[in-house]
Amino acid sequence: QVQLVESGGGLVQPGESLRLSCAASGSIIDISLMAWYRQAPGNQRELVADITFIGMLNYADSVKGRFTISRDNAKKTVYLQMNSLKPEDTAVYYCKVRLRPRGSSQFDDYWGQGTQVTVSS
């Protein structure tokens, strides 16, 4: 069984920083793409950033220059460093990991439970 556990959300003021973590555990053979999404009330879930196994990066235009995604393959963990946070970054943040579990021949997407990030003065 595969689990994704997120941590690091919270309430911060505009301009401050937060670091999110998402650790995968369980019977995992391979991990390919790791990503962060977010969903604000009334909005659709949107991609924030993703990173391939070899470290190729992709960011939403709204977070370029402020957010940094990284991963530790040995720890099966993906991070999102969020700097210069704005009120419009307020959302529930979800990690998504594309992985191949033990006993399977294909990769599937797994989602974390979500962590709330609130940016407010």
Side-chain angles (χ1 to χ4, degrees):
Q1 189 173 357
V2 174
Q3 278 192 320
L4 300 183
V5 178
E6 300 179 22
S7 60
L11 171 63
V12 296
Q13 295 189 344
E16 294 186 339
S17 299
L18 278 175
R19 188 191 195 211
L20 306 182
S21 300
C22 172
S25 64
S27 300
I28 299 168
I29 301 298
D30 293 307
I31 295 177
S32 59
L33 191 71
M34 305 182 88
W36 288 97
Y37 285 72
R38 67 185 180 187
Q39 187 168 19
N43 290 357
Q44 289 187 333
R45 193 171 297 187
E46 62 176 3
L47 176 67
V48 176
D50 60 37
I51 180 169
T52 67
F53 181 79
I54 60 171
M56 294 181 64
L57 308 175
N58 178 48
Y59 292 98
D61 288 342
S62 58
V63 305
K64 282 180 182 176
R66 301 188 298 123
F67 290 11
T68 302
I69 189 170
S70 61
R71 62 190 283 171
D72 184 328
N73 290 328
K75 295 181 178 179
K76 299 183 179 66
T77 300
V78 60
Y79 306 96
L80 186 67
Q81 177 66 43
M82 304 184 293
N83 298 330
S84 303
L85 282 160
K86 304 176 181 179
E88 50 263 43
D89 295 317
T90 296
V92 177
Y93 284 70
Y94 299 89
C95 65
K96 187 184 80 172
V97 177
R98 184 163 296 159
L99 60 87
R100 185 166 68 93
R102 189 178 302 276
S104 176
S105 60
Q106 65 183 30
F107 285 81
D108 290 311
D109 289 338
Y110 290 77
W111 290 88
Q113 80 281 4
T115 185
Q116 177 70 46
V117 171
T118 303
V119 185
S120 175
S121 55

PDB file of all heavy atoms in Angstrom, residues 78-112:
ATOM      1  N   VAL A  78       9.239  15.031  -2.070  1.00  0.00           N
ATOM      2  CA  VAL A  78       9.246  16.234  -2.892  1.00  0.00           C
ATOM      3  C   VAL A  78       8.962  17.428  -1.990  1.00  0.00           C
ATOM      4  O   VAL A  78       8.192  17.327  -1.029  1.00  0.00           O
ATOM      5  CB  VAL A  78       8.221  16.140  -4.049  1.00  0.00           C
ATOM      6  CG1 VAL A  78       6.795  15.969  -3.530  1.00  0.00           C
ATOM      7  CG2 VAL A  78       8.333  17.321  -4.980  1.00  0.00           C
ATOM      8  N   TYR A  79       9.614  18.545  -2.304  1.00  0.00           N
ATOM      9  CA  TYR A  79       9.505  19.756  -1.505  1.00  0.00           C
ATOM     10  C   TYR A  79       9.002  20.905  -2.373  1.00  0.00           C
ATOM     11  O   TYR A  79       9.204  20.925  -3.586  1.00  0.00           O
ATOM     12  CB  TYR A  79      10.861  20.141  -0.914  1.00  0.00           C
ATOM     13  CG  TYR A  79      11.532  19.056  -0.131  1.00  0.00           C
ATOM     14  CD1 TYR A  79      12.491  18.235  -0.718  1.00  0.00           C
ATOM     15  CD2 TYR A  79      11.218  18.837   1.213  1.00  0.00           C
ATOM     16  CE1 TYR A  79      13.117  17.219  -0.004  1.00  0.00           C
ATOM     17  CE2 TYR A  79      11.833  17.832   1.940  1.00  0.00           C
ATOM     18  CZ  TYR A  79      12.788  17.024   1.322  1.00  0.00           C
ATOM     19  OH  TYR A  79      13.388  16.028   2.040  1.00  0.00           O
ATOM     20  N   LEU A  80       8.395  21.882  -1.709  1.00  0.00           N
ATOM     21  CA  LEU A  80       8.032  23.117  -2.384  1.00  0.00           C
ATOM     22  C   LEU A  80       8.402  24.270  -1.454  1.00  0.00           C
ATOM     23  O   LEU A  80       7.761  24.458  -0.421  1.00  0.00           O
ATOM     24  CB  LEU A  80       6.542  23.168  -2.725  1.00  0.00           C
ATOM     25  CG  LEU A  80       6.120  24.378  -3.559  1.00  0.00           C
ATOM     26  CD1 LEU A  80       6.718  24.304  -4.965  1.00  0.00           C
ATOM     27  CD2 LEU A  80       4.592  24.501  -3.646  1.00  0.00           C
ATOM     28  N   GLN A  81       9.443  24.983  -1.827  1.00  0.00           N
ATOM     29  CA  GLN A  81       9.843  26.174  -1.086  1.00  0.00           C
ATOM     30  C   GLN A  81       9.086  27.362  -1.658  1.00  0.00           C
ATOM     31  O   GLN A  81       9.208  27.656  -2.849  1.00  0.00           O
ATOM     32  CB  GLN A  81      11.353  26.406  -1.199  1.00  0.00           C
ATOM     33  CG  GLN A  81      11.854  27.658  -0.511  1.00  0.00           C
ATOM     34  CD  GLN A  81      11.699  27.595   0.997  1.00  0.00           C
ATOM     35  OE1 GLN A  81      11.987  26.573   1.611  1.00  0.00           O
ATOM     36  NE2 GLN A  81      11.245  28.689   1.596  1.00  0.00           N
ATOM     37  N   MET A  82       8.314  28.016  -0.825  1.00  0.00           N
ATOM     38  CA  MET A  82       7.471  29.130  -1.272  1.00  0.00           C
ATOM     39  C   MET A  82       7.937  30.404  -0.582  1.00  0.00           C
ATOM     40  O   MET A  82       7.837  30.518   0.643  1.00  0.00           O
ATOM     41  CB  MET A  82       6.006  28.844  -0.938  1.00  0.00           C
ATOM     42  CG  MET A  82       5.497  27.537  -1.512  1.00  0.00           C
ATOM     43  SD  MET A  82       3.729  27.278  -1.212  1.00  0.00           S
ATOM     44  CE  MET A  82       3.727  27.083   0.566  1.00  0.00           C
ATOM     45  N   ASN A  83       8.459  31.318  -1.376  1.00  0.00           N
ATOM     46  CA  ASN A  83       8.927  32.612  -0.862  1.00  0.00           C
ATOM     47  C   ASN A  83       8.037  33.737  -1.374  1.00  0.00           C
ATOM     48  O   ASN A  83       7.304  33.564  -2.343  1.00  0.00           O
ATOM     49  CB  ASN A  83      10.370  32.847  -1.296  1.00  0.00           C
ATOM     50  CG  ASN A  83      11.338  31.813  -0.752  1.00  0.00           C
ATOM     51  OD1 ASN A  83      11.143  31.246   0.321  1.00  0.00           O
ATOM     52  ND2 ASN A  83      12.407  31.563  -1.503  1.00  0.00           N
ATOM     53  N   SER A  84       8.144  34.867  -0.720  1.00  0.00           N
ATOM     54  CA  SER A  84       7.372  36.054  -1.129  1.00  0.00           C
ATOM     55  C   SER A  84       5.902  35.711  -1.345  1.00  0.00           C
ATOM     56  O   SER A  84       5.309  36.066  -2.368  1.00  0.00           O
ATOM     57  CB  SER A  84       7.972  36.652  -2.413  1.00  0.00           C
ATOM     58  OG  SER A  84       9.328  36.976  -2.250  1.00  0.00           O
ATOM     59  N   LEU A  85       5.325  35.053  -0.375  1.00  0.00           N
ATOM     60  CA  LEU A  85       3.948  34.596  -0.517  1.00  0.00           C
ATOM     61  C   LEU A  85       2.981  35.766  -0.606  1.00  0.00           C
ATOM     62  O   LEU A  85       3.180  36.813   0.026  1.00  0.00           O
ATOM     63  CB  LEU A  85       3.579  33.676   0.640  1.00  0.00           C
ATOM     64  CG  LEU A  85       4.121  32.247   0.498  1.00  0.00           C
ATOM     65  CD1 LEU A  85       4.152  31.547   1.843  1.00  0.00           C
ATOM     66  CD2 LEU A  85       3.287  31.473  -0.503  1.00  0.00           C
ATOM     67  N   LYS A  86       1.931  35.562  -1.400  1.00  0.00           N
ATOM     68  CA  LYS A  86       0.907  36.566  -1.625  1.00  0.00           C
ATOM     69  C   LYS A  86      -0.445  36.008  -1.179  1.00  0.00           C
ATOM     70  O   LYS A  86      -0.648  34.793  -1.154  1.00  0.00           O
ATOM     71  CB  LYS A  86       0.833  36.911  -3.117  1.00  0.00           C
ATOM     72  CG  LYS A  86       2.140  37.364  -3.729  1.00  0.00           C
ATOM     73  CD  LYS A  86       1.984  37.587  -5.225  1.00  0.00           C
ATOM     74  CE  LYS A  86       3.284  38.026  -5.868  1.00  0.00           C
ATOM     75  NZ  LYS A  86       3.135  38.231  -7.340  1.00  0.00           N
ATOM     76  N   PRO A  87      -1.394  36.890  -0.880  1.00  0.00           N
ATOM     77  CA  PRO A  87      -2.734  36.396  -0.507  1.00  0.00           C
ATOM     78  C   PRO A  87      -3.343  35.474  -1.565  1.00  0.00           C
ATOM     79  O   PRO A  87      -4.051  34.518  -1.219  1.00  0.00           O
ATOM     80  CB  PRO A  87      -3.538  37.684  -0.341  1.00  0.00           C
ATOM     81  CG  PRO A  87      -2.521  38.698   0.070  1.00  0.00           C
ATOM     82  CD  PRO A  87      -1.277  38.344  -0.689  1.00  0.00           C
ATOM     83  N   GLU A  88      -3.043  35.728  -2.828  1.00  0.00           N
ATOM     84  CA  GLU A  88      -3.606  34.885  -3.886  1.00  0.00           C
ATOM     85  C   GLU A  88      -2.977  33.497  -3.951  1.00  0.00           C
ATOM     86  O   GLU A  88      -3.432  32.654  -4.722  1.00  0.00           O
ATOM     87  CB  GLU A  88      -3.474  35.567  -5.256  1.00  0.00           C
ATOM     88  CG  GLU A  88      -2.087  36.081  -5.587  1.00  0.00           C
ATOM     89  CD  GLU A  88      -1.939  37.571  -5.266  1.00  0.00           C
ATOM     90  OE1 GLU A  88      -2.417  38.018  -4.196  1.00  0.00           O
ATOM     91  OE2 GLU A  88      -1.311  38.271  -6.103  1.00  0.00           O
ATOM     92  N   ASP A  89      -1.949  33.249  -3.144  1.00  0.00           N
ATOM     93  CA  ASP A  89      -1.394  31.896  -3.031  1.00  0.00           C
ATOM     94  C   ASP A  89      -2.185  31.036  -2.048  1.00  0.00           C
ATOM     95  O   ASP A  89      -1.920  29.838  -1.919  1.00  0.00           O
ATOM     96  CB  ASP A  89       0.072  31.952  -2.566  1.00  0.00           C
ATOM     97  CG  ASP A  89       0.983  32.611  -3.576  1.00  0.00           C
ATOM     98  OD1 ASP A  89       0.847  32.318  -4.784  1.00  0.00           O
ATOM     99  OD2 ASP A  89       1.843  33.428  -3.164  1.00  0.00           O
ATOM    100  N   THR A  90      -3.136  31.639  -1.356  1.00  0.00           N
ATOM    101  CA  THR A  90      -3.955  30.900  -0.405  1.00  0.00           C
ATOM    102  C   THR A  90      -4.732  29.799  -1.104  1.00  0.00           C
ATOM    103  O   THR A  90      -5.448  30.047  -2.079  1.00  0.00           O
ATOM    104  CB  THR A  90      -4.932  31.854   0.310  1.00  0.00           C
ATOM    105  OG1 THR A  90      -4.176  32.796   1.081  1.00  0.00           O
ATOM    106  CG2 THR A  90      -5.869  31.073   1.218  1.00  0.00           C
ATOM    107  N   ALA A  91      -4.570  28.574  -0.613  1.00  0.00           N
ATOM    108  CA  ALA A  91      -5.198  27.411  -1.235  1.00  0.00           C
ATOM    109  C   ALA A  91      -4.853  26.171  -0.420  1.00  0.00           C
ATOM    110  O   ALA A  91      -4.000  26.219   0.468  1.00  0.00           O
ATOM    111  CB  ALA A  91      -4.704  27.223  -2.668  1.00  0.00           C
ATOM    112  N   VAL A  92      -5.502  25.072  -0.769  1.00  0.00           N
ATOM    113  CA  VAL A  92      -5.062  23.766  -0.295  1.00  0.00           C
ATOM    114  C   VAL A  92      -4.060  23.240  -1.317  1.00  0.00           C
ATOM    115  O   VAL A  92      -4.349  23.216  -2.517  1.00  0.00           O
ATOM    116  CB  VAL A  92      -6.234  22.776  -0.130  1.00  0.00           C
ATOM    117  CG1 VAL A  92      -5.712  21.412   0.302  1.00  0.00           C
ATOM    118  CG2 VAL A  92      -7.241  23.319   0.879  1.00  0.00           C
ATOM    119  N   TYR A  93      -2.892  22.844  -0.835  1.00  0.00           N
ATOM    120  CA  TYR A  93      -1.831  22.362  -1.703  1.00  0.00           C
ATOM    121  C   TYR A  93      -1.760  20.832  -1.621  1.00  0.00           C
ATOM    122  O   TYR A  93      -1.751  20.262  -0.516  1.00  0.00           O
ATOM    123  CB  TYR A  93      -0.489  22.970  -1.295  1.00  0.00           C
ATOM    124  CG  TYR A  93      -0.350  24.410  -1.744  1.00  0.00           C
ATOM    125  CD1 TYR A  93      -1.111  25.416  -1.159  1.00  0.00           C
ATOM    126  CD2 TYR A  93       0.521  24.763  -2.766  1.00  0.00           C
ATOM    127  CE1 TYR A  93      -1.017  26.729  -1.586  1.00  0.00           C
ATOM    128  CE2 TYR A  93       0.638  26.076  -3.197  1.00  0.00           C
ATOM    129  CZ  TYR A  93      -0.132  27.054  -2.607  1.00  0.00           C
ATOM    130  OH  TYR A  93      -0.024  28.348  -3.030  1.00  0.00           O
ATOM    131  N   TYR A  94      -1.723  20.214  -2.793  1.00  0.00           N
ATOM    132  CA  TYR A  94      -1.685  18.759  -2.901  1.00  0.00           C
ATOM    133  C   TYR A  94      -0.423  18.324  -3.638  1.00  0.00           C
ATOM    134  O   TYR A  94      -0.058  18.924  -4.662  1.00  0.00           O
ATOM    135  CB  TYR A  94      -2.881  18.241  -3.689  1.00  0.00           C
ATOM    136  CG  TYR A  94      -4.223  18.557  -3.098  1.00  0.00           C
ATOM    137  CD1 TYR A  94      -4.898  19.734  -3.411  1.00  0.00           C
ATOM    138  CD2 TYR A  94      -4.845  17.659  -2.231  1.00  0.00           C
ATOM    139  CE1 TYR A  94      -6.138  20.017  -2.879  1.00  0.00           C
ATOM    140  CE2 TYR A  94      -6.092  17.936  -1.696  1.00  0.00           C
ATOM    141  CZ  TYR A  94      -6.730  19.112  -2.022  1.00  0.00           C
ATOM    142  OH  TYR A  94      -7.964  19.385  -1.488  1.00  0.00           O
ATOM    143  N   CYS A  95       0.198  17.269  -3.167  1.00  0.00           N
ATOM    144  CA  CYS A  95       1.272  16.678  -3.952  1.00  0.00           C
ATOM    145  C   CYS A  95       0.696  15.531  -4.775  1.00  0.00           C
ATOM    146  O   CYS A  95      -0.282  14.884  -4.388  1.00  0.00           O
ATOM    147  CB  CYS A  95       2.417  16.194  -3.078  1.00  0.00           C
ATOM    148  SG  CYS A  95       2.028  14.841  -1.967  1.00  0.00           S
ATOM    149  N   LYS A  96       1.296  15.330  -5.932  1.00  0.00           N
ATOM    150  CA  LYS A  96       0.945  14.217  -6.789  1.00  0.00           C
ATOM    151  C   LYS A  96       2.226  13.510  -7.194  1.00  0.00           C
ATOM    152  O   LYS A  96       3.190  14.155  -7.627  1.00  0.00           O
ATOM    153  CB  LYS A  96       0.212  14.694  -8.045  1.00  0.00           C
ATOM    154  CG  LYS A  96      -0.320  13.550  -8.903  1.00  0.00           C
ATOM    155  CD  LYS A  96      -0.943  14.039 -10.185  1.00  0.00           C
ATOM    156  CE  LYS A  96       0.091  14.349 -11.238  1.00  0.00           C
ATOM    157  NZ  LYS A  96      -0.529  14.646 -12.558  1.00  0.00           N
ATOM    158  N   VAL A  97       2.238  12.206  -7.046  1.00  0.00           N
ATOM    159  CA  VAL A  97       3.431  11.415  -7.361  1.00  0.00           C
ATOM    160  C   VAL A  97       3.041  10.321  -8.344  1.00  0.00           C
ATOM    161  O   VAL A  97       2.090   9.569  -8.101  1.00  0.00           O
ATOM    162  CB  VAL A  97       4.043  10.801  -6.089  1.00  0.00           C
ATOM    163  CG1 VAL A  97       5.233   9.921  -6.453  1.00  0.00           C
ATOM    164  CG2 VAL A  97       4.460  11.896  -5.116  1.00  0.00           C
ATOM    165  N   ARG A  98       3.769  10.262  -9.439  1.00  0.00           N
ATOM    166  CA  ARG A  98       3.546   9.204 -10.425  1.00  0.00           C
ATOM    167  C   ARG A  98       4.532   8.083 -10.119  1.00  0.00           C
ATOM    168  O   ARG A  98       5.748   8.292 -10.182  1.00  0.00           O
ATOM    169  CB  ARG A  98       3.761   9.737 -11.836  1.00  0.00           C
ATOM    170  CG  ARG A  98       3.452   8.726 -12.946  1.00  0.00           C
ATOM    171  CD  ARG A  98       3.289   9.473 -14.257  1.00  0.00           C
ATOM    172  NE  ARG A  98       2.141  10.378 -14.203  1.00  0.00           N
ATOM    173  CZ  ARG A  98       1.987  11.421 -15.019  1.00  0.00           C
ATOM    174  NH1 ARG A  98       2.886  11.668 -15.962  1.00  0.00           N
ATOM    175  NH2 ARG A  98       0.918  12.199 -14.920  1.00  0.00           N
ATOM    176  N   LEU A  99       4.027   6.929  -9.743  1.00  0.00           N
ATOM    177  CA  LEU A  99       4.907   5.863  -9.283  1.00  0.00           C
ATOM    178  C   LEU A  99       4.394   4.500  -9.710  1.00  0.00           C
ATOM    179  O   LEU A  99       3.243   4.340 -10.105  1.00  0.00           O
ATOM    180  CB  LEU A  99       5.063   5.940  -7.757  1.00  0.00           C
ATOM    181  CG  LEU A  99       3.795   5.800  -6.906  1.00  0.00           C
ATOM    182  CD1 LEU A  99       3.484   4.350  -6.618  1.00  0.00           C
ATOM    183  CD2 LEU A  99       3.947   6.565  -5.589  1.00  0.00           C
ATOM    184  N   ARG A 100       5.307   3.540  -9.628  1.00  0.00           N
ATOM    185  CA  ARG A 100       4.961   2.141  -9.920  1.00  0.00           C
ATOM    186  C   ARG A 100       5.041   1.350  -8.627  1.00  0.00           C
ATOM    187  O   ARG A 100       6.136   1.174  -8.076  1.00  0.00           O
ATOM    188  CB  ARG A 100       5.893   1.572 -10.975  1.00  0.00           C
ATOM    189  CG  ARG A 100       5.536   0.169 -11.416  1.00  0.00           C
ATOM    190  CD  ARG A 100       6.276  -0.205 -12.692  1.00  0.00           C
ATOM    191  NE  ARG A 100       7.717  -0.340 -12.478  1.00  0.00           N
ATOM    192  CZ  ARG A 100       8.333  -1.480 -12.182  1.00  0.00           C
ATOM    193  NH1 ARG A 100       7.623  -2.602 -12.041  1.00  0.00           N
ATOM    194  NH2 ARG A 100       9.645  -1.523 -12.025  1.00  0.00           N
ATOM    195  N   PRO A 101       3.901   0.897  -8.129  1.00  0.00           N
ATOM    196  CA  PRO A 101       3.937   0.115  -6.897  1.00  0.00           C
ATOM    197  C   PRO A 101       4.389  -1.321  -7.165  1.00  0.00           C
ATOM    198  O   PRO A 101       4.335  -1.807  -8.289  1.00  0.00           O
ATOM    199  CB  PRO A 101       2.481   0.161  -6.420  1.00  0.00           C
ATOM    200  CG  PRO A 101       1.674   0.372  -7.661  1.00  0.00           C
ATOM    201  CD  PRO A 101       2.537   1.156  -8.600  1.00  0.00           C
ATOM    202  N   ARG A 102       4.852  -1.953  -6.112  1.00  0.00           N
ATOM    203  CA  ARG A 102       5.262  -3.354  -6.217  1.00  0.00           C
ATOM    204  C   ARG A 102       4.091  -4.194  -6.696  1.00  0.00           C
ATOM    205  O   ARG A 102       2.973  -4.041  -6.230  1.00  0.00           O
ATOM    206  CB  ARG A 102       5.761  -3.855  -4.863  1.00  0.00           C
ATOM    207  CG  ARG A 102       6.402  -5.232  -4.914  1.00  0.00           C
ATOM    208  CD  ARG A 102       6.906  -5.631  -3.536  1.00  0.00           C
ATOM    209  NE  ARG A 102       7.866  -4.673  -2.993  1.00  0.00           N
ATOM    210  CZ  ARG A 102       9.155  -4.667  -3.270  1.00  0.00           C
ATOM    211  NH1 ARG A 102       9.650  -5.581  -4.086  1.00  0.00           N
ATOM    212  NH2 ARG A 102       9.955  -3.769  -2.719  1.00  0.00           N
ATOM    213  N   GLY A 103       4.365  -5.084  -7.650  1.00  0.00           N
ATOM    214  CA  GLY A 103       3.326  -5.955  -8.181  1.00  0.00           C
ATOM    215  C   GLY A 103       2.614  -5.391  -9.393  1.00  0.00           C
ATOM    216  O   GLY A 103       1.751  -6.059  -9.960  1.00  0.00           O
ATOM    217  N   SER A 104       2.952  -4.169  -9.789  1.00  0.00           N
ATOM    218  CA  SER A 104       2.324  -3.548 -10.952  1.00  0.00           C
ATOM    219  C   SER A 104       3.350  -3.319 -12.052  1.00  0.00           C
ATOM    220  O   SER A 104       4.532  -3.107 -11.787  1.00  0.00           O
ATOM    221  CB  SER A 104       1.697  -2.210 -10.556  1.00  0.00           C
ATOM    222  OG  SER A 104       1.175  -1.553 -11.696  1.00  0.00           O
ATOM    223  N   SER A 105       2.874  -3.348 -13.289  1.00  0.00           N
ATOM    224  CA  SER A 105       3.754  -3.112 -14.426  1.00  0.00           C
ATOM    225  C   SER A 105       3.596  -1.696 -14.978  1.00  0.00           C
ATOM    226  O   SER A 105       4.236  -1.341 -15.960  1.00  0.00           O
ATOM    227  CB  SER A 105       3.465  -4.121 -15.537  1.00  0.00           C
ATOM    228  OG  SER A 105       2.118  -3.982 -15.967  1.00  0.00           O
ATOM    229  N   GLN A 106       2.751  -0.884 -14.354  1.00  0.00           N
ATOM    230  CA  GLN A 106       2.524   0.449 -14.888  1.00  0.00           C
ATOM    231  C   GLN A 106       2.623   1.505 -13.786  1.00  0.00           C
ATOM    232  O   GLN A 106       2.537   1.204 -12.595  1.00  0.00           O
ATOM    233  CB  GLN A 106       1.155   0.532 -15.549  1.00  0.00           C
ATOM    234  CG  GLN A 106      -0.012   0.344 -14.583  1.00  0.00           C
ATOM    235  CD  GLN A 106      -1.357   0.366 -15.294  1.00  0.00           C
ATOM    236  OE1 GLN A 106      -1.467  -0.008 -16.450  1.00  0.00           O
ATOM    237  NE2 GLN A 106      -2.384   0.809 -14.598  1.00  0.00           N
ATOM    238  N   PHE A 107       2.798   2.751 -14.248  1.00  0.00           N
ATOM    239  CA  PHE A 107       2.835   3.889 -13.338  1.00  0.00           C
ATOM    240  C   PHE A 107       1.426   4.452 -13.173  1.00  0.00           C
ATOM    241  O   PHE A 107       0.661   4.541 -14.130  1.00  0.00           O
ATOM    242  CB  PHE A 107       3.757   4.978 -13.888  1.00  0.00           C
ATOM    243  CG  PHE A 107       5.218   4.672 -13.744  1.00  0.00           C
ATOM    244  CD1 PHE A 107       5.860   3.842 -14.649  1.00  0.00           C
ATOM    245  CD2 PHE A 107       5.953   5.218 -12.704  1.00  0.00           C
ATOM    246  CE1 PHE A 107       7.207   3.560 -14.522  1.00  0.00           C
ATOM    247  CE2 PHE A 107       7.309   4.944 -12.569  1.00  0.00           C
ATOM    248  CZ  PHE A 107       7.931   4.110 -13.472  1.00  0.00           C
ATOM    249  N   ASP A 108       1.104   4.850 -11.961  1.00  0.00           N
ATOM    250  CA  ASP A 108      -0.171   5.498 -11.668  1.00  0.00           C
ATOM    251  C   ASP A 108       0.078   6.743 -10.825  1.00  0.00           C
ATOM    252  O   ASP A 108       1.130   6.872 -10.180  1.00  0.00           O
ATOM    253  CB  ASP A 108      -1.114   4.557 -10.904  1.00  0.00           C
ATOM    254  CG  ASP A 108      -1.610   3.433 -11.773  1.00  0.00           C
ATOM    255  OD1 ASP A 108      -2.080   3.716 -12.895  1.00  0.00           O
ATOM    256  OD2 ASP A 108      -1.530   2.269 -11.351  1.00  0.00           O
ATOM    257  N   ASP A 109      -0.899   7.652 -10.834  1.00  0.00           N
ATOM    258  CA  ASP A 109      -0.799   8.880 -10.050  1.00  0.00           C
ATOM    259  C   ASP A 109      -1.433   8.693  -8.673  1.00  0.00           C
ATOM    260  O   ASP A 109      -2.553   8.202  -8.557  1.00  0.00           O
ATOM    261  CB  ASP A 109      -1.504  10.028 -10.773  1.00  0.00           C
ATOM    262  CG  ASP A 109      -0.748  10.476 -12.007  1.00  0.00           C
ATOM    263  OD1 ASP A 109       0.466  10.232 -12.101  1.00  0.00           O
ATOM    264  OD2 ASP A 109      -1.383  11.088 -12.893  1.00  0.00           O
ATOM    265  N   TYR A 110      -0.690   9.125  -7.667  1.00  0.00           N
ATOM    266  CA  TYR A 110      -1.170   9.097  -6.288  1.00  0.00           C
ATOM    267  C   TYR A 110      -1.160  10.525  -5.741  1.00  0.00           C
ATOM    268  O   TYR A 110      -0.246  11.301  -6.023  1.00  0.00           O
ATOM    269  CB  TYR A 110      -0.281   8.198  -5.428  1.00  0.00           C
ATOM    270  CG  TYR A 110      -0.420   6.726  -5.749  1.00  0.00           C
ATOM    271  CD1 TYR A 110       0.185   6.182  -6.880  1.00  0.00           C
ATOM    272  CD2 TYR A 110      -1.171   5.883  -4.924  1.00  0.00           C
ATOM    273  CE1 TYR A 110       0.050   4.843  -7.188  1.00  0.00           C
ATOM    274  CE2 TYR A 110      -1.302   4.539  -5.215  1.00  0.00           C
ATOM    275  CZ  TYR A 110      -0.692   4.017  -6.345  1.00  0.00           C
ATOM    276  OH  TYR A 110      -0.822   2.685  -6.647  1.00  0.00           O
ATOM    277  N   TRP A 111      -2.173  10.821  -4.920  1.00  0.00           N
ATOM    278  CA  TRP A 111      -2.332  12.174  -4.379  1.00  0.00           C
ATOM    279  C   TRP A 111      -2.164  12.176  -2.871  1.00  0.00           C
ATOM    280  O   TRP A 111      -2.588  11.242  -2.182  1.00  0.00           O
ATOM    281  CB  TRP A 111      -3.715  12.717  -4.709  1.00  0.00           C
ATOM    282  CG  TRP A 111      -3.916  13.021  -6.154  1.00  0.00           C
ATOM    283  CD1 TRP A 111      -4.347  12.166  -7.128  1.00  0.00           C
ATOM    284  CD2 TRP A 111      -3.711  14.279  -6.802  1.00  0.00           C
ATOM    285  NE1 TRP A 111      -4.414  12.811  -8.334  1.00  0.00           N
ATOM    286  CE2 TRP A 111      -4.027  14.119  -8.168  1.00  0.00           C
ATOM    287  CE3 TRP A 111      -3.293  15.537  -6.358  1.00  0.00           C
ATOM    288  CZ2 TRP A 111      -3.942  15.160  -9.086  1.00  0.00           C
ATOM    289  CZ3 TRP A 111      -3.203  16.562  -7.284  1.00  0.00           C
ATOM    290  CH2 TRP A 111      -3.520  16.374  -8.627  1.00  0.00           C
ATOM    291  N   GLY A 112      -1.577  13.277  -2.364  1.00  0.00           N
ATOM    292  CA  GLY A 112      -1.545  13.501  -0.940  1.00  0.00           C
ATOM    293  C   GLY A 112      -2.884  13.997  -0.442  1.00  0.00           C
ATOM    294  O   GLY A 112      -3.800  14.273  -1.219  1.00  0.00           O
TER     295      GLY A 112
END
